Amino acid sequence: MLDHLGIQSRDIPASSAFYDTVLATLGARRMMEFGDVIGYGVESPDFWISPVTSPGNGYETHVAFTAPDRAAVQAFHDAAVEAGAEVLHAPRVWPEYHPTYFGAFVRDPDGNNVEAVCHTPE
C-alpha cells in the first residue's frame, strides 16, 4: 500500500549523517538528492528526509500510496478535490524521478502531503 514515506528535519546535515549511518546497517543507502531533500532505500528510494518548511512545532508528513494504474491516480486526485483538499500537484508524469512516475499530490485535513503514485507506463 505505501510507496514511500517522507519526514521533515530541522537540521538536514545532522539527520543525513544519522540516516547514512543507521540505514546502512539495514542494507539501505542514500539513493537520490534534490538539494536538501534526500531519498534512501535498498532498490529504490522509499524513505525521504527534507527540511522543515512550515512554521510552528508541527511537522508536515509526506505519505505516498501505490496506485495500480494512472486512472487510479486520477481518481485519487478527483476524490481529494471533491473532498475539499488543497491540490499541491495535479496528476502528471514526473520524469525527474523516473520516466514512468505518474503522481498526484494533495494536502490532507491536517496539512500533510499525501500522494498517489503509479510506476507503470500508460
Side-chain angles (χ1 to χ4, degrees):
M1 185 168 117
L2 290 177
D3 184 80
H4 57 272
L5 177 67
I7 63 168
Q8 290 192 326
S9 168
R10 294 203 180 277
D11 185 347
I12 290 296
S15 291
S16 62
F18 172 78
Y19 286 111
D20 286 347
T21 301
V22 300
L23 294 179
T25 68
L26 305 175
R29 62 185 170 84
R30 189 186 294 212
M31 300 187 80
M32 293 180 109
E33 294 182 57
F34 299 103
D36 285 340
V37 179
I38 303 168
Y40 295 88
V42 175
E43 295 179 10
S44 63
D46 50 25
F47 176 76
W48 292 83
I49 61 171
S50 61
V52 172
T53 59
S54 54
N57 295 328
Y59 292 88
E60 175 186 328
T61 299
H62 172 67
V63 180
F65 297 96
T66 302
D69 53 38
R70 292 180 179 195
V73 172
Q74 184 67 55
F76 162 88
H77 173 266
D78 294 347
V81 169
E82 181 68 26
E86 174 189 355
V87 175
L88 299 174
H89 300 288
R92 73 171 177 88
V93 174
W94 295 82
E96 60 269 35
Y97 301 144
H98 67 72
T100 61
Y101 191 110
F102 187 82
F105 302 75
V106 299
R107 285 219 189 279
D108 76 3
D110 292 307
N112 291 303
N113 177 340
V114 182
E115 173 188 1
V117 59
C118 174
H119 297 284
T120 60
E122 300 298 307

